[in-house]
Amino acid sequence: MMVLRSANRFLSLIFVVFVAVGLSGCLTQQRTQGYDIPEGSLEQVRPGVSKELVEFVLGSPQTTNTFGDEQAYYYVETKVEQTAFGLTSVKSRTVLAVYFDKNDRVTDKAVYGLEDGKVVDIVSRRTPGFGQDRSFLQQLLGSLSF
């Protein structure tokens, strides 16, 4: 009788552990990657304000682009959801673009989302160059002519 009660307790403990592990896979964590765009900062960035004010309000941009006499600052915010098993999925992506004229004054701003973008497949292949795939010894012996 005592052995049966111990076995039931052990099986109950094993069941609780399996249920807890199974439910932990369902838990997700949401986080922000990149720049976190503050709500009130967008109102402060309006046409005519200086580049210094934009940098003071928004901080340094993640990337910039120059075309002709104009320049653009880009701030990218990505909200991702990660499961307990390490699987991540992008829930939203917001790109704030601030455009400047040649006098470093804001001419326009735009907010882009995932629906405005285009998914581009990145090709990881590379063309090997001469000597890159050989070891030091192979390169040394290859340079000797007999």
Side-chain angles (χ1 to χ4, degrees):
M1 187 71 161
M2 185 69 159
V3 173
L4 187 58
R5 199 175 316 166
S6 295
N8 279 342
R9 284 185 183 165
F10 180 72
L11 288 175
S12 297
L13 179 65
I14 294 294
F15 177 74
V16 168
V17 168
F18 277 119
V19 169
V21 168
L23 289 177
S24 70
C26 299
L27 299 176
T28 59
Q29 177 185 11
Q30 293 185 358
R31 59 188 168 92
T32 301
Q33 290 180 339
Y35 187 78
D36 190 11
I37 300 172
E39 292 293 324
S41 63
L42 291 178
E43 291 85 32
Q44 295 181 31
V45 177
R46 55 188 179 279
V49 300
S50 68
K51 187 186 289 188
E52 290 80 21
L53 180 65
V54 171
E55 290 175 357
F56 180 75
V57 171
L58 296 174
S60 298
Q62 287 171 311
T63 187
T64 62
N65 190 11
T66 304
F67 36 92
D69 291 338
E70 298 180 352
Q71 187 176 20
Y73 278 5
Y74 298 100
Y75 300 88
V76 182
E77 174 187 74
T78 305
K79 302 240 185 227
V80 295
E81 190 173 84
Q82 184 173 11
T83 65
F85 297 116
L87 301 173
T88 59
S89 62
V90 175
K91 292 301 175 187
S92 70
R93 179 169 291 132
T94 306
V95 178
L96 170 61
V98 182
Y99 302 101
F100 300 96
D101 62 11
K102 62 182 177 181
N103 298 322
D104 291 340
R105 297 285 178 184
V106 174
T107 58
D108 196 12
K109 69 178 175 186
V111 179
Y112 302 104
L114 276 176
E115 63 278 357
D116 299 316
K118 182 178 180 182
V119 177
V120 178
D121 290 332
I122 298 190
V123 178
S124 61
R125 297 180 311 224
R126 68 181 182 100
T127 304
F130 178 73
Q132 291 181 351
D133 295 326
R134 299 188 304 171
S135 69
F136 174 74
L137 189 58
Q138 288 172 330
Q139 290 179 16
L140 183 65
L141 293 175
S143 66
L144 299 174
S145 58
F146 293 100

